[in-house]
């Protein structure tokens, strides 16, 4: 019998529950506006902390809270490059010394760059 009762409906597509007899949590509606002039409302719980920015429903840009405080600018750390990290470990004088040592090894022929040391193939 239960199979016949659901015949012709798409399961999960339609809810048959009603809101009758249910007390919803208290809500407040907050309005946002983006730079493109789109305005929209978002419902929040009365107890919720209202975010100063929200993604615009129409264009996806950042929308600001109307009649609200400006969002605080987050401190952004500058990007650390490989050179910055190297300079944290060594001084310029140490780097020049290491460079001079490596150049001396290359110039003396101590390293053969033509053949890789792991290359085990025999030349024919």
């Amino acid at each position: 019998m239960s199979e016949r009762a659901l015949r012709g409906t798409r399961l999960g597509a339609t809810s048959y529950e009603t809101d009758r007899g249910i007390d919803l949590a208290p809500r407040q509606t907050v309005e946002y506006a983006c730079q493109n002039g789109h305005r929209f409302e978002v419902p929040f719980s009365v107890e919720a902390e209202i975010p100063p920015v929200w993604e615009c429903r129409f264009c996806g840009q950042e929308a600001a809270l109307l009649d609200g405080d400006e969002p605080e600018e987050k401190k952004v750390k500058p990007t650390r490059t490989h050179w910055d990290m190297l300079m944290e470990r060594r001084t310029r004088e140490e780097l020049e010394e290491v460079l001079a040592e490596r150049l001396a090894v290359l110039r003396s022929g101590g390293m053969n760059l033509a053949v890789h040391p792991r290359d085990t193939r025999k030349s024919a």
Side-chain angles (χ1 to χ4, degrees):
M1 285 231 192
S2 63
E3 292 176 11
R4 286 189 224 155
L6 296 177
R7 187 175 299 170
T9 63
R10 292 177 285 157
L11 292 176
T14 307
S15 174
Y16 295 108
E17 294 183 17
T18 63
D19 292 339
R20 271 186 261 145
I22 297 175
D23 292 329
L24 298 175
R27 299 176 189 204
Q28 60 180 328
T29 303
V30 180
E31 191 172 9
Y32 289 91
C34 74
Q35 294 176 350
N36 293 335
H38 300 130
R39 289 179 159 226
F40 57 95
E41 294 180 343
V42 180
F44 287 98
S45 169
V46 173
E47 301 167 356
E49 182 178 329
I50 306 300
V53 293
W54 197 266
E55 184 178 323
C56 178
R57 293 181 178 175
F58 304 103
C59 64
Q61 289 192 3
E62 200 171 77
L65 178 65
L66 287 181
D67 302 328
D69 297 332
E70 290 293 320
E72 294 180 14
E73 292 291 328
K74 294 182 180 178
K75 293 182 181 179
V76 178
K77 291 184 179 179
T79 305
R80 286 177 50 197
T81 63
H82 177 72
W83 179 254
D84 295 331
M85 291 183 266
L86 182 64
M87 294 306 290
E88 289 175 6
R89 295 189 308 269
R90 298 187 186 245
T91 64
R92 195 166 192 84
E93 292 77 26
E94 290 174 330
L95 291 172
E96 288 176 5
E97 185 180 321
V98 169
L99 177 61
E101 289 174 9
R102 300 312 297 161
L103 285 174
V105 168
L106 286 173
R107 289 180 181 140
S108 69
M111 289 181 66
N112 186 1
L113 296 177
V115 178
H116 193 277
R118 292 188 209 155
D119 194 2
T120 57
R121 291 179 283 167
K122 296 184 181 187
S123 55

